[in-house]
Amino acid sequence: MDKVDIIIPAYKPDHKFLTLMKRLERQSVPINQIIVMNTEQKYFDRLIYGTSFQKDYHNIIVKHLSKREFDHGKTRNMGVQRSDADYFVMMTQDAVPADEYVVEELLKQLHNEHVAVAYARQLANEGSSEIERYTREFNYPDQTVVKTKADLDKYGVKTFFCSNVCAAYNRKIFDELGGFVKHTIFNEDMIYAARAIEAGYGVAYAAQAKVYHSHDLGYMEQLHRNFDLGVSQAQHPEIFGVYPSESEGIRYVRQLIRHLNGAGLKRKIPHLILQSGFKYIGYWCGKHYDRLPRRLVIAMSSSKEYWK
């Protein structure tokens, strides 16, 4: 029987976190431990106050951090250090398993000893916009694939695509590769996947492992998020300098415009163009953050603590 732990960074968790806990209890593969790396204890205490959370979940370990201590790579590494399982699954607090087979489907991919990480398919939440639904379908199609170094000419930067919204890792390979990058503003999952690919391992996309996860972000939220994305890419030219992502973004926008046209939703195209503009401004500024005044960098970033 595979021994598997779940590791979840949390910050201001809400009802979706409690739903996630319930869905994890029902997984076909028993979960050994759920390790929650929570930022700011007061928000977690507020969520579980008056509930039977601590009584209901005996296999949960909660480690509280301050906001200043949080880092996308370091915090996740700290969670892994608390696990002695052969496999662990990284999740976010707002990812909700679609059924009881998510962990099982991820582990199927890791039974290939040459696969370092397997990530799940993300489905749009009920009530999501047409643009958000299409975005999920674009990034998470219905076909499973294992990507290797041989696919770089075919997929380019998408070869390294991986998401810690829900992704399972082979612990032995994870330790061999040195874990997640220790200090990063964003993209720790994709940076790890790139290192795994370069080391000769595979990155699996498990289309049958499905979670509900989507966000209809506003224009400024998109700008802040893409600023951090740009910063992470600028700081890792060994990956993103060799395999730039701009062409993939252009392909996405073009296909989405065609989709909206075909679906009789032309009225949404101006919104898409404006949204894409905010994304690109944020991304371009992030790529050139080292030329910007520090005050502007902090204002544009969604991760203020990273710069302190």
Side-chain angles (χ1 to χ4, degrees):
M1 178 68 73
D2 295 321
K3 187 175 183 181
V4 58
D5 287 343
I6 310 290
I7 300 170
I8 308 169
Y11 177 57
K12 296 184 178 180
D14 59 16
H15 68 282
K16 279 191 177 180
F17 176 83
L18 299 179
T19 301
L20 169 58
M21 294 299 103
K22 292 176 183 176
R23 297 284 178 92
L24 289 177
E25 287 283 303
R26 300 172 189 165
Q27 289 297 298
S28 59
V29 174
I31 306 303
N32 178 54
Q33 286 186 127
I34 299 173
I35 301 167
V36 180
M37 302 299 293
N38 178 70
T39 300
E40 300 295 346
Q41 182 173 353
K42 61 184 178 182
Y43 299 118
F44 193 87
D45 289 347
R46 187 179 301 166
L47 176 69
I48 66 172
Y49 179 77
T51 72
S52 56
F53 182 87
Q54 292 173 312
K55 179 181 176 182
D56 293 341
Y57 302 105
H58 300 289
N59 64 336
I60 291 183
I61 298 173
V62 181
K63 168 65 177 175
H64 296 293
L65 310 166
S66 70
K67 197 171 183 181
R68 184 177 289 273
E69 290 176 289
F70 176 82
D71 178 88
H72 283 283
K74 179 183 175 182
T75 299
R76 286 175 168 85
N77 284 336
M78 289 169 60
V80 175
Q81 289 165 9
R82 286 168 167 74
S83 168
D84 62 355
D86 302 315
Y87 305 100
F88 62 89
V89 179
M90 283 287 164
M91 296 193 74
T92 55
Q93 66 190 39
D94 57 348
V96 178
D99 55 36
E100 65 268 37
Y101 303 109
V102 173
V103 175
E104 180 180 330
E105 292 293 338
L106 290 172
L107 293 184
K108 282 181 183 179
Q109 301 301 319
L110 293 186
H111 289 157
N112 177 342
E113 62 183 10
H114 298 296
V115 171
V117 55
Y119 65 100
R121 182 182 184 187
Q122 295 182 34
L123 307 174
N125 292 315
E126 184 179 354
S128 294
S129 69
E130 184 64 24
I131 290 175
E132 185 63 17
R133 282 198 295 272
Y134 182 85
T135 301
R136 295 298 152 191
E137 293 170 6
F138 180 87
N139 289 322
Y140 304 95
D142 59 3
Q143 293 296 316
T144 293
V145 64
V146 177
K147 299 173 289 186
T148 67
K149 205 169 186 178
D151 294 307
L152 283 168
D153 288 340
K154 179 180 180 182
Y155 295 122
V157 72
K158 289 281 278 191
T159 310
F160 308 137
F161 185 72
C162 181
S163 175
N164 268 344
V165 163
C166 184
Y169 292 79
N170 179 312
R171 176 64 184 273
K172 182 179 178 182
I173 297 174
F174 185 84
D175 289 343
E176 175 192 324
L177 296 178
F180 297 117
V181 61
K182 304 299 185 297
H183 184 51
T184 182
I185 193 170
F186 198 69
N187 253 358
E188 82 293 331
D189 40 18
M190 201 164 169
I191 294 166
Y192 176 85
R195 290 177 175 176
I197 291 284
E198 292 296 338
Y201 293 108
V203 172
Y205 166 57
Q208 297 307 310
K210 294 171 283 190
V211 295
Y212 288 104
H213 178 265
S214 61
H215 296 285
D216 286 303
L217 300 178
Y219 297 134
M220 290 306 297
E221 290 173 309
Q222 294 283 10
L223 185 145
H224 294 316
R225 177 181 175 84
N226 281 274
F227 179 85
D228 290 352
L229 172 64
V231 170
S232 73
Q233 292 195 8
Q235 292 177 342
H236 292 276
E238 75 282 4
I239 301 169
F240 302 104
V242 180
Y243 303 100
S245 60
E246 286 86 346
S247 60
E248 185 66 15
I250 293 170
R251 185 173 76 90
Y252 156 74
V253 173
R254 285 176 175 170
Q255 289 191 194
L256 181 47
I257 288 174
R258 284 198 293 269
H259 170 75
L260 293 174
N261 263 321
L265 296 170
K266 290 183 180 181
R267 67 186 183 280
K268 294 185 178 293
I269 293 176
H271 165 66
L272 168 65
I273 292 171
L274 190 56
Q275 181 188 74
S276 299
F278 274 84
K279 285 183 178 181
Y280 184 73
I281 291 169
Y283 172 76
W284 190 92
C285 290
K287 289 276 282 189
H288 302 89
Y289 77 96
D290 54 349
R291 303 180 195 175
L292 302 177
R294 183 172 179 82
R295 186 173 297 179
L296 180 59
V297 167
I298 294 173
M300 294 191 75
S301 177
S302 62
S303 304
K304 312 297 184 188
E305 298 296 328
Y306 176 84
W307 304 99
K308 296 180 180 178

